[in-house]
Amino acid sequence: MWIGTTVMLFFAFGLLFLVLFYQNYFIKMKRKEAELLLQSSLESEKKERIRIAADLHDGVSGDLNAIRNYLSVLQRGEKDEEKQELFAEIKEGIEAALENTRQVSYKLMPPLLELAGFKVALEDYFGRLTTNSKIAFEFVCNTEAPDFSNEIAYELFRVVQELTTNMIKYGGVTHCLVLLSSPEAEYSLEIIDNGIPFDFYTSLKTSKGSGLKNISSRLKVIGAQMKQKENPKGNHYIITLKR
Amino acid sequence: MILKVDPSIWFKVYTTIEFFVLIQYFYRLLKGKYTYLHYFFGILYSVCFGFILYQGKIDNFMDGDDYLQLIESVFVIIAILLWMKYAFINLEEDSLLKYPHFYFISGLLFYFSGTFFLYLLGSVILENEKEYFIDYWMLNLFFNIFFRILLLIGIWKARVQ
């Protein structure tokens, strides 16, 4: 009887162990697959952005510039005042289109990010934002230029871009301080604004859009952590990344 | 009146109620599949119980209980194997340890596996080694306690969810 009972218990343990072990293995494989898929998806997105930005800059901008030049030639040769005014208006429209194209191309892939580095790209970006929006962006860097790899710089830039876009669209922000420092063995990027308080992680769970999920995915890919400190007068995000 | 009834009869009644509750539980757990299995074992058990009644063995301890427990144990083990097959095919991304049913199933598996041979050979042990029966019966006690602990954990998990 004891032998029989031992055999039956061995069978029971074995069965449960097999199910648990296989399921754990399956969960690990699924997670790895999801991570690889995420990385590959972000990489594809980056390549597409670079391609579209280049096409816009070389193709559309180039064509618009050519049209503007032709218009200048036509305008110089035209004596009729009415037609001159018309050409001036068309030129204005083309200038606006050129500027928009440059903005779109810049937003897709800021050239300074690869040419001059993360710090310079951020300075330039906040400078443009301050000019174009009614928000005073203040960028303070308490560390020497961080030596991020291209991938990390790109993903971090996109996170900042997404957060600031949300700030401008929905936050009612008038002032935003961005502080880049390197305490101890990590880099810290703090974004402090005076807008409508917004709980990032609660909204992430309920959000149907992809913006917040993209932020979370990008941070995960580069191994960065983001915390939100309580701030009754606005929002305070701290992104940390190990050196 | 009720307290004067022989415990052997209560034991058989308990086993019968337990069996039909388990049939109902596995029917819901397996989402209505394998109905033939439930009917087959239900009818088999009922026939066996009827036979024990006919033989007048209703108030003999471990007389007939071995057959009833054997049917119950075989049914439970087959139902658990079918559930595991279902768990393998439809692997969830959450760990099974988060599901209350996993604890119920584990408890049932250990209890019925552990006491399978005890009940099978119970009447033989009572006839030939009566003085050692209580030592063997401790096995039932141990697995019963273990089973109840797993049931408690499963219920606690269900409440937490």
Side-chain angles (χ1 to χ4, degrees):
Chain A
M1 199 208 81
W2 293 111
I3 296 168
T5 305
T6 312
V7 167
M8 290 297 283
L9 284 173
F10 184 75
F11 154 76
F13 266 115
L15 203 60
L16 283 170
F17 179 74
L18 188 70
V19 170
L20 275 175
F21 173 77
Y22 186 75
Q23 209 225 9
N24 278 337
Y25 171 78
F26 176 77
I27 289 170
K28 270 186 201 160
M29 288 293 113
K30 273 276 175 185
R31 275 202 194 123
K32 260 190 191 165
E33 195 186 316
E35 270 165 33
L36 281 170
L37 209 65
L38 179 66
Q39 263 180 338
S40 139
S41 153
L42 289 172
E43 191 57 41
S44 300
E45 186 223 17
K46 183 183 173 183
K47 281 182 183 156
E48 268 306 292
R49 279 177 172 255
I50 292 171
R51 188 188 64 78
I52 295 169
D55 283 347
L56 275 173
H57 185 268
D58 301 339
V60 178
S61 284
D63 291 343
L64 285 170
N65 271 318
I67 293 169
R68 188 182 54 179
N69 293 338
Y70 283 133
L71 266 172
S72 297
V73 166
L74 281 169
Q75 198 177 17
R76 264 185 257 126
E78 186 55 57
K79 295 214 175 42
D80 189 339
E81 268 186 32
E82 235 181 77
K83 284 186 182 166
Q84 280 218 347
E85 262 182 47
L86 192 62
F87 282 133
E89 275 174 33
I90 296 170
K91 216 173 160 185
E92 246 181 68
I94 290 173
E95 297 278 358
L98 257 171
E99 183 53 33
N100 281 335
T101 309
R102 269 192 219 115
Q103 289 285 340
V104 169
S105 175
Y106 176 84
K107 280 180 186 169
L108 279 171
M109 193 66 201
L112 282 175
L113 196 59
E114 292 207 3
L115 294 171
F118 181 72
K119 183 185 159 203
V120 174
L122 266 191
E123 274 169 354
D124 180 64
Y125 175 66
F126 287 127
R128 285 170 184 251
L129 273 185
T130 306
T131 311
N132 296 332
S133 68
K134 288 174 187 167
I135 302 169
F137 283 94
E138 193 186 333
F139 178 57
V140 175
C141 184
N142 290 339
T143 177
E144 57 192 40
D147 55 350
F148 294 142
S149 66
N150 279 345
E151 289 76 28
I152 292 176
Y154 174 79
E155 300 300 346
L156 208 51
F157 187 89
R158 290 275 165 247
V159 167
V160 170
Q161 206 175 32
E162 189 67 43
L163 285 170
T164 49
T165 305
N166 288 343
M167 231 182 258
I168 294 166
K169 274 189 195 168
Y170 315 113
V173 170
T174 56
H175 179 262
C176 175
L177 169 67
V178 180
L179 181 63
L180 178 63
S181 56
S182 57
E184 294 165 7
E186 58 185 22
Y187 286 108
S188 165
L189 184 67
E190 291 185 58
I191 303 169
I192 308 161
D193 69 48
N194 65 348
I196 301 164
F198 170 76
D199 189 334
F200 178 85
Y201 287 104
T202 308
S203 301
L204 179 65
K205 283 177 197 168
T206 55
S207 167
K208 287 176 187 169
S210 58
L212 298 181
K213 291 185 178 106
N214 279 342
I215 292 174
S216 178
S217 305
R218 290 183 199 281
L219 289 171
K220 197 176 172 184
V221 161
I222 60 174
Q225 314 279 334
M226 185 166 89
K227 287 181 215 165
Q228 187 171 8
K229 260 191 173 175
E230 266 202 48
N231 182 4
K233 292 182 186 172
N235 300 291
H236 186 171
Y237 303 106
I238 307 171
I239 299 170
T240 50
L241 182 66
K242 284 197 178 135
R243 277 182 188 257
Chain B
M1 264 287 272
I2 294 167
L3 292 175
K4 283 184 183 171
V5 173
D6 198 313
S8 313
I9 299 173
W10 284 124
F11 193 79
K12 284 180 177 62
V13 169
Y14 171 80
T15 308
T16 307
I17 295 171
E18 183 188 65
F19 175 71
F20 284 103
V21 165
L22 284 172
I23 280 196
Q24 176 72 323
Y25 172 70
F26 280 110
Y27 180 76
R28 284 171 191 261
L29 192 69
L30 296 171
K31 296 185 177 27
K33 290 181 195 167
Y34 312 107
T35 335
Y36 60 90
L37 185 81
H38 298 90
Y39 278 122
F40 172 72
F41 277 95
I43 292 167
L44 184 67
Y45 190 96
S46 306
V47 164
C48 190
F49 192 81
F51 184 74
I52 290 166
L53 272 175
Y54 175 74
Q55 290 279 309
K57 289 183 181 177
I58 190 82
D59 53 357
N60 291 345
F61 183 61
M62 292 307 284
D63 219 345
D65 288 310
D66 38 8
Y67 301 114
L68 296 176
Q69 280 290 339
L70 177 68
I71 295 167
E72 195 179 355
S73 302
V74 170
F75 167 72
V76 166
I77 290 169
I78 291 174
I80 287 172
L81 286 171
L82 288 170
W83 178 82
M84 285 190 176
K85 175 192 158 194
Y86 172 79
F88 259 102
I89 291 168
N90 302 299
L91 275 171
E92 307 280 347
E93 287 196 25
D94 264 338
S95 173
L96 278 174
L97 292 169
K98 289 186 186 172
Y99 291 104
H101 288 297
F102 178 74
Y103 295 94
F104 300 149
I105 298 286
S106 306
L108 284 166
L109 185 62
F110 281 122
Y111 177 70
F112 283 100
S113 307
T115 56
F116 185 81
F117 279 95
L118 171 67
Y119 283 110
L120 199 64
L121 302 169
S123 51
V124 173
I125 297 168
L126 256 180
E127 266 175 54
N128 302 315
E129 293 178 30
K130 202 170 183 174
E131 59 276 14
Y132 296 116
F133 183 78
I134 211 80
D135 297 331
Y136 292 122
W137 196 249
M138 294 303 282
L139 206 62
N140 181 36
L141 226 71
F142 170 76
F143 282 112
N144 232 316
I145 292 169
F146 188 66
F147 173 42
R148 305 292 181 231
I149 290 171
L150 283 173
L151 276 183
L152 280 171
I153 296 171
I155 291 167
W156 173 69
K157 284 270 176 194
R159 283 181 64 103
V160 164
Q161 279 176 12

